Amino acid sequence: MQAVIAQGTAVSAIQAVAGAAAESSQRASAKNVGVKFSSYNGTALVIPAAGFGGKAEKSSSSIRGSPARANLFGNLKNLKTDILNPLKPSSDSVEVKGRLVLSRRSILDLVNVNASIIDDNIDLIFNQSVVINLVSVEAKPDGQPKLSAKSTIVNWITATGIKEKLIAGDESYAVTFHVPKDFGEIGAIVVRNKHFNEFFLHEVALETSSGVTYQFPCKSWVYPDNILDADDDRVFFTNKTYLPGQTPSGLKRFRESELVALRGNGKGIRTPSQRIYDYAVYNDLGKPDLLAKRPTLGGNKDLPYPRRCRTGRVPALADPKAESNIPIGSIDYYNPCDECFERDKNSGFYAGALKSINHALAPVISGIFDDTCNTWDSIEEIMEIYSKGLDLGTKLADTDDEEKKKSLVFLNTIFKAEGDSKSVIKYPKPQLIKEDENAWMDDEEFGRQTLAGLNPCVIELVTEYPPKSSLDPSQYGAATALTEKHIEPYLEGLSVKEAIEAKRLFKVDYRDLFLPYIERINNTKYKAYASRAFFFRTKTGAMKPVAIELSLPPTEQTGASNRVFTPPLRKEDTNYFWELAKAHFATIDFGYHELISHWLRTHAVMEPFIISTHRNLSKLHPVHTLLLPLYKNTMRINAAARQHLISGMGIIELCFTPGKYSMEMCSKIYGALWRFDHEAFPANLIARGMAEPADASQPGGVKLVVDDYPFAKDGLELWDVIKSYMGKYLNIAYKGSDKAVQEDVELQRWWNEVVQIGHGDKKDEPWWPNADSIQNLTHICTTIAWISGPHHAAVNFGQYAYAGFMPNRPSHLKKLIPEEGSKEEDKMLEDPQKWLMETLTSQSATAIILTVLELLSSHAIDEEYQGKRLHDNWTSDPEIKAAFTEFSAKIDALQRKFEERNADKSLVNRTAGPAKLPYMLLYPHSAESGLTGRGVPYSISI
């Protein structure tokens, strides 16, 4: 058996993703731009804070069951003033007790011991660890903010010593303030960190002696004074929101100044401690200094693209227009620090990535593959990935090599590898082949996946036949070779015209999108056609393929080619040309899925919305509160993708058919097809002919052409529930006034910047809606919520279920189909199975793709699902809480409804289909983390 030498760059890239996930625990010192109120630091003498027996309370690392966060207000009532406090509160003052919940800098689930020792000793000597001021909603008579005297948390170091602090978790600290009776309502706090290391401030809770409570959902990294400017302060507002014109006088300057700080000045290299959100074009995908130049995407008509977050790195030496790269494996690339994972997400992502590294390394360091040069021998050999696993080929337990022993620890503790040697790593069996290992080959299953599989958002109703082309025939040849004779034998006695009129003929058409790139692709090691497929909905409701057309452009040696393949008329017959045509269509569909349905239509298009929200909508703004869950972890994931997945020589280029043209094609398709108005789900279905306008009694206000269309059927009901909640929330926030929407300066600036800058290459398109009414704003926010939630869930969390079995969705193919009458045709017909295996994705690429898909298809332990919130301190508005409770109940009802739908044996595109695979991708919740194939988070969280 000969080991496969997998692409080292791809493996290094996966390793770099893992390293990058620990970024939040290794961020370098840097100057930050914050809110500057230096005069506030000279207020009254510090009143020492009270503690709990002199100890900081430790907690579990679990967010859901965190004792540090549980019953936060209940603990406040037991807080006693430190008896050593020499300063007695005035009789005219009011006591305010507080608790902070924070996490220290950590690596995986372990405290960063060196950082903790430094911070603990500084605290022990100076007792000035974290300094806090309260801010009143009322300004002083001179218009300046009204602040309390400074107070500090005490006893940062625990009495039990550093050894008890090896397991990272939320820590709870007490603080006490005394403010004048006329201080007024508390609206914000100002926090300064006098340690040498940052911490993540989860939340703060305050309670006055009269029982008034205040909550601060902070969720932010607080960097130390030795990194920030001397007059930088971090400001956190309560969970009470205000429209800009309603901002209390005491908070106005804080509101404005924080937005200024978050925007930055558009200059210089961004550094890790900064929270600056700004825009840039995609000029960082290539590696020009490594002879891998890639075009800049965005900022020009030929290659339009959404904007990304600006990092400001220096130009590359070999291309001054391109941003320089960071070394492979480095974690030193900028993301606004608050976009970095919280500790629990960081640990889960990092552990998963460690698993992925070892999965990807397995084919490199073992002898699992034979001497057929990186080619599979049979489907049975592929199946062994799940049954026998990948043998590392070395007895780690018998080695004296410390690095290998560390790998053994990983295998024992993280991978839960089976077998005495602990050297076998198994990939989980994909859902597609769990019930029937051969169902994927069924033509009916091939068609079913257009409605309920990996990429269910591209199928269209056929309105004309034969198909036409928008490409110049003098350059690309005739539009089609399809005729009515090709498909009429499969139409159950209907003519093509009758099938179209009955709305029973459908297509997935990539021909015009891929054909301009096919010659260039075929000059690489991968081979492809520009493909289109036609499907007929049978009397039983099944979606069966009736023809696949594979096209090649003219070359210097040959003319243009349009080859039509049709399935056997009898199910028991096998046509190897048809099977090869299905494989070629599947690989183009998979590439389109990853680049367009997944990356472009969720990750890439969402980033400008996130950037503009933080730049223009204050955290005091109700729309900021509404949208924030939709953005969780997205920018961090996108940054990692730019570095390792979609970059030049990254995993997409190495393993997928479009290769180095992947992102250029993505840009062209964005320019040709993407429209914000068509991302609204009902409008998207109508645009594809898969639904027709109907009255409001129908989900989404549309009627489906195919009722048993699982993605659409479940999706429309999710759309309605989300839209109802968004509408109620916004009506509460704006008190039912469209005029209030129009006069909201922050909101108008937010939407204008999304259109004019974030998606600036499409700023003049007439289809952009105006944010000028509650109805329009509801539609805008619902569309954003759909993109980040249900659409992303549908195309992401099923990746391993369907593409985890490579023959169902090969990422690339290595041979074209032999021409009729050629010697290659004779060779293929002599041993069709061998030809197919030599055509399919290589062994090393299969291992890499499975590795990545397993990671991307897994839910994190801190996932926030539709209708659920991990913490209940996100708002103090009782009306909004009631609206959310109603939303949550409706989501729970949908979960039950979808489960009942999957149990209906008459629905052939669900559990009753050939693969017996229920459509669970739009189940709102997943009871567990990991590879569950169900659950719709609010955000593009992976």
Side-chain angles (χ1 to χ4, degrees), residues 316-448:
L317 294 175
D319 184 0
K321 294 182 180 180
E323 193 172 77
S324 59
N325 297 113
I326 61 174
I328 291 176
S330 172
I331 61 172
D332 188 25
Y333 54 88
Y334 175 74
N335 234 347
C337 65
D338 288 349
E339 299 299 327
C340 294
F341 301 143
E342 294 182 38
R343 192 193 58 76
D344 295 83
K345 170 70 175 182
N346 194 40
S347 298
F349 186 86
Y350 194 17
L354 284 173
K355 179 178 181 179
S356 295
I357 290 172
N358 282 273
H359 276 196
L361 286 175
V364 181
I365 63 176
S366 68
I368 64 169
F369 299 131
D370 56 27
D371 57 2
T372 53
C373 192
N374 209 4
T375 298
W376 299 101
D377 281 342
S378 64
I379 296 294
E380 289 72 27
E381 187 182 21
I382 297 172
M383 288 291 186
E384 290 180 356
I385 293 176
Y386 318 109
S387 59
K388 294 182 180 180
L390 298 177
D391 194 336
L392 295 178
T394 179
K395 295 181 179 179
L396 297 175
D398 296 337
T399 184
D400 292 328
D401 189 307
E402 291 301 318
E403 290 302 315
K404 289 184 178 180
K405 285 185 177 180
K406 289 178 183 178
S407 296
L408 177 63
V409 173
F410 284 139
L411 289 172
N412 274 318
T413 59
I414 299 177
F415 309 147
K416 298 179 181 177
E418 299 177 9
D420 294 335
S421 70
K422 301 296 182 184
S423 64
V424 176
I425 304 174
K426 291 184 180 179
Y427 289 97
K429 199 170 189 178
Q431 289 173 294
L432 177 67
I433 57 173
K434 276 189 175 180
E435 294 295 325
D436 184 346
E437 291 185 350
N438 297 313
W440 68 275
M441 299 180 66
D442 193 303
D443 284 352
E444 187 176 317
E445 174 60 24
F446 182 80
R448 188 193 73 85

Side-chain angles (χ1 to χ4, degrees), residues 844-856:
S844 56
T846 299
I848 292 169
I849 292 296
L850 260 64
T851 289
V852 174
L853 295 186
E854 185 182 358
L855 176 63
L856 297 183

Side-chain angles (χ1 to χ4, degrees), residues 566-578:
T566 56
L569 286 171
R570 299 191 311 168
K571 190 171 184 177
E572 59 268 25
D573 292 341
T574 299
N575 181 326
Y576 290 105
F577 286 96
W578 172 246

Side-chain angles (χ1 to χ4, degrees), residues 563 565 575-582 817-820 825 828-829:
R563 300 179 67 185
F565 301 85
N575 181 326
Y576 290 105
F577 286 96
W578 172 246
E579 296 303 322
L580 286 170
K582 286 199 299 183
I817 300 174
E819 294 290 337
E820 187 175 353
E825 182 186 37
M828 189 271 282
L829 292 175

